[in-house]
Amino acid sequence: EALEGSKSLSIETGKIHLMDFQIRFYAEEGEGCPEELSELCEEADGLVLGAPVYWGDINGLTKDFMDTVRISNANGKYALGIAIAGGTGKGLCSAIQSIYHFFYHRQLRGIDPTPVSRFNFKKALGNLYQSGKRLAEVSKEKKPFNDLWDRIEYYEKLDYMNYSFLDEILLLAEQLIEISRKK
């Protein structure tokens, strides 16, 4: 839906599945992320990174990608992260935090963190359409961070970045109550 939102503004989009690439774990010698994939990330004006939640965090393939991709022009490039948790939904906030920690450390300017569970799936799709439109709009011009403090302040204000395990359980309970009322 995020890509559809971007397309609605006549923005060229592309969808990449990490499993279609030979991404190896980080090692000081050797290549983890294929050059082609790093180049695609550098050429993009904005990035959407979605990952499934396994055992309370993002999956290993996404982690290997984040550990090894090279994006030399990342400072101020906009990015949208999505964590999708099945089952009970537990881990969706720690997983979204992992994606946005990656954005923070790579100096990408993350927008609209989106933790998704089966309880908020339909609502999240609608929100992601709007987030995709927003990503298309803001990606027209990079907004580099001035310094480390600028980046810290920016990320401290994003939703879900300071959620604890208890906050996550309360979020899931709110989602469950909301869909229960609709039935």
Side-chain angles (χ1 to χ4, degrees):
E1 286 301 307
L3 296 178
E4 291 302 316
S6 292
K7 283 182 192 177
S8 75
L9 298 178
S10 300
I11 300 297
E12 180 183 342
T13 65
K15 188 176 192 178
I16 297 167
H17 296 273
L18 295 179
M19 62 189 280
D20 292 338
F21 293 86
Q22 290 290 338
I23 300 172
R24 294 178 186 85
F25 60 87
Y26 175 80
E28 285 195 36
E29 294 117 23
E31 187 173 311
C33 184
E35 188 63 33
E36 174 189 2
L37 188 51
S38 290
E39 287 173 8
L40 288 169
C41 292
E42 286 199 4
E43 291 168 6
D45 292 328
L47 301 174
V48 176
L49 181 59
V53 176
Y54 294 156
W55 297 104
D57 210 341
I58 58 172
N59 67 323
L61 180 60
T62 304
K63 179 67 170 121
D64 289 343
F65 164 77
M66 293 183 336
D67 286 345
T68 59
V69 66
R70 291 168 309 284
I71 312 173
S72 63
N73 64 348
N75 188 11
K77 184 180 288 200
Y78 285 90
L80 169 64
I82 308 160
I84 305 103
T88 65
K90 291 179 186 163
L92 78 162
C93 289
S94 53
I96 202 68
Q97 289 168 357
S98 289
I99 293 169
Y100 280 77
H101 289 157
F102 163 69
F103 292 166
Y104 166 83
H105 287 287
R106 293 296 180 101
Q107 300 181 7
L108 293 158
R109 191 172 285 274
I111 65 165
D112 302 343
T114 308
V116 182
S117 74
R118 64 190 176 115
F119 308 123
N120 77 331
F121 189 77
K122 289 180 181 177
K123 182 178 179 181
L125 289 178
N127 291 343
L128 284 168
Y129 185 86
Q130 294 304 318
S131 293
K133 286 175 71 170
R134 180 169 177 238
L135 181 64
E137 283 293 322
V138 296
S139 292
K140 291 177 183 174
E141 188 174 324
K142 282 175 62 171
K143 187 176 178 188
F145 292 103
N146 296 321
D147 53 29
L148 178 61
W149 186 249
D150 183 28
R151 195 165 19 125
I152 291 170
E153 281 186 315
Y154 181 83
Y155 275 88
E156 283 295 310
K157 294 175 185 172
L158 286 178
D159 288 339
Y160 310 109
M161 293 302 100
N162 295 307
Y163 269 43
S164 67
F165 290 118
L166 179 57
D167 294 323
E168 180 179 275
I169 296 299
L170 292 173
L171 174 66
L172 288 165
E174 288 171 11
Q175 292 175 357
L176 183 57
I177 290 167
E178 186 175 333
I179 66 164
S180 296
R181 287 184 180 148
K182 292 178 181 176
K183 290 185 178 188

